[in-house]
Amino acid sequence: MREGPGGTDRAVSVTVGYVMTLAISTLLLSGLFVAGGSFVETQRERAAQGELTVVGERVAADLGTVDRLAVSASARGELTINRSLTLPDRAAGTVYRIRVRAGDTRGTLALESDRTDATVEVPFRTSDAVDVRNTTVAGGDLRIWWDPAGGDNGEVVVSER
């Protein structure tokens, strides 16, 4: 042991080594938590996109079903179509919205999650003789129905149940 002017220096080097070890460990753990947090957020966004894609495809398929039924009907003014669709209220733990935008025969369903940046667009097609009402609904249970009074010759409507 070496003696200095104020006593031994050995206890100081142990304390400094301990403090430096704690500081380095804290920096390493902080880096791991930051990297792990961004990884979890990326995985949550991917999960939300996957779930929203499945939901959008189900809605598009049911829109197509109602469209085909309306086209094949002989008297659309007396036609009654009411299709209930049970969907999850949340995608990857967050609520979402479905925006229906239709043109002549092509349209898109834009599904947007509230907390994540996940947005999915699913295209759909309809026949020339059938209109689809543009609307925005909350995710969850939906009703896709035929409104004989809507549009020029009636229209397909997506609404919340």
Side-chain angles (χ1 to χ4, degrees):
M1 201 158 39
R2 199 178 82 186
E3 291 283 329
T8 64
D9 288 339
R10 188 172 182 106
V12 172
S13 67
V14 170
T15 305
V16 170
Y18 180 72
V19 169
M20 289 184 67
T21 301
L22 281 177
I24 291 169
S25 298
T26 302
L27 286 173
L28 287 174
L29 286 174
S30 299
L32 286 174
F33 285 136
V34 169
S38 65
F39 175 75
V40 168
E41 186 61 33
T42 301
Q43 293 303 317
R44 180 177 292 143
E45 188 172 319
R46 285 184 184 169
Q49 285 177 338
E51 288 182 44
L52 292 175
T53 300
V54 170
V55 167
E57 289 172 355
R58 287 185 60 196
V59 174
D62 282 0
L63 275 170
T65 300
V66 173
D67 171 61
R68 284 188 300 279
L69 288 170
V71 166
S72 65
S74 58
R76 288 190 195 173
E78 300 169 11
L79 181 62
T80 300
I81 303 172
N82 188 8
R83 184 137 176 100
S84 296
L85 185 59
T86 302
L87 299 171
D89 295 335
R90 298 175 175 269
T94 63
V95 295
Y96 62 96
R97 290 175 307 284
I98 302 170
R99 191 170 19 109
V100 181
R101 295 291 174 251
D104 291 335
T105 61
R106 296 174 188 252
T108 58
L109 298 168
L111 292 91
E112 303 166 345
S113 176
D114 278 352
R115 279 191 236 145
T116 63
D117 292 334
T119 300
V120 174
E121 287 193 2
V122 177
F124 67 89
R125 294 188 71 149
T126 59
S127 59
D128 289 334
V130 175
D131 294 331
V132 176
R133 184 179 296 172
N134 293 331
T135 187
T136 301
V137 294
D141 295 340
L142 298 180
R143 177 179 166 224
I144 301 175
W145 55 285
W146 175 253
D147 181 10
D152 293 335
N153 298 321
E155 66 184 348
V156 178
V157 180
V158 178
S159 63
E160 297 172 16
R161 219 178 357 156

